[in-house]
Amino acid sequence: MRIGELAEATGTTPRALRHYEQAGLIVSERAANGYRLYAPRTAVRVRNIRLLLDTGLTLDDVRVFLSCLDGDVTAAPASDRALEVAAERLAVMDARIAAQLAVRDRLAAALRRARRSRPDLRARQDPGPRQTAEARVRPVA
């Protein structure tokens, strides 16, 4: 299977496939004309890589899952290291979300103060913050 065929079969781009190959997640052989050739089973691996990336993992994180990328990655029992990586990534996401929510809350408060200082805007409905940042993000246990 050539790179364009693999890209089409997996809903990705040739550029992404070259990136996965450079990262050591997939392999190809070279045809006499220099084209990359992939085994048909590489499509399963690429779909699993995409699935893991879509959950927020990085390519470095995906390396931990190499042993189960050629099958049903969602049904394979997770290794201790895979669970650690997923928990670490979730903690990073939670911290980023909390930081963004704190910025949002500061902006909402500044907007409320600015509207209160303008008599022509006082009548407008002010939704205020929905919740505090701490209430929206649960820490990972």
Side-chain angles (χ1 to χ4, degrees):
M1 176 180 305
R2 292 194 339 208
I3 194 167
E5 296 167 324
L6 181 59
E8 186 174 329
T10 58
T12 190
T13 64
R15 182 177 182 196
L17 295 173
R18 287 189 293 273
H19 189 63
Y20 301 162
E21 189 170 347
Q22 186 178 21
L25 297 173
I26 61 174
V27 295
S28 68
E29 295 181 11
R30 293 293 182 147
N33 59 6
Y35 288 176
R36 286 180 166 89
L37 297 175
Y38 297 92
R41 69 180 180 276
T42 306
V44 171
R45 181 173 279 238
V46 170
R47 285 187 197 102
N48 282 326
I49 291 167
R50 306 263 311 156
L51 175 74
L52 293 170
L53 292 173
D54 286 347
T55 65
L57 298 178
T58 66
L59 282 180
D60 286 336
D61 297 336
V62 171
R63 281 193 190 90
V64 174
F65 296 85
L66 276 175
S67 64
C68 60
L69 287 179
D70 294 324
D72 185 353
V73 74
T74 61
S79 69
D80 289 345
R81 183 65 188 133
L83 292 172
E84 289 172 15
V85 166
E88 289 167 5
R89 185 61 48 210
L90 184 59
V92 167
M93 286 182 207
D94 283 343
R96 287 180 181 165
I97 290 168
Q100 287 295 304
L101 291 172
V103 169
R104 183 237 178 251
D105 291 345
R106 287 193 299 274
L107 179 58
L111 182 57
R112 283 191 305 277
R113 286 190 303 274
R115 283 182 174 160
R116 281 193 299 265
S117 71
R118 299 243 336 248
D120 59 318
L121 296 178
R122 283 188 190 152
R124 285 196 185 173
Q125 184 67 21
D126 182 12
R130 294 179 203 158
Q131 289 180 307
T132 64
E134 295 76 26
R136 286 180 280 210
V137 179
R138 290 179 283 135
V140 176

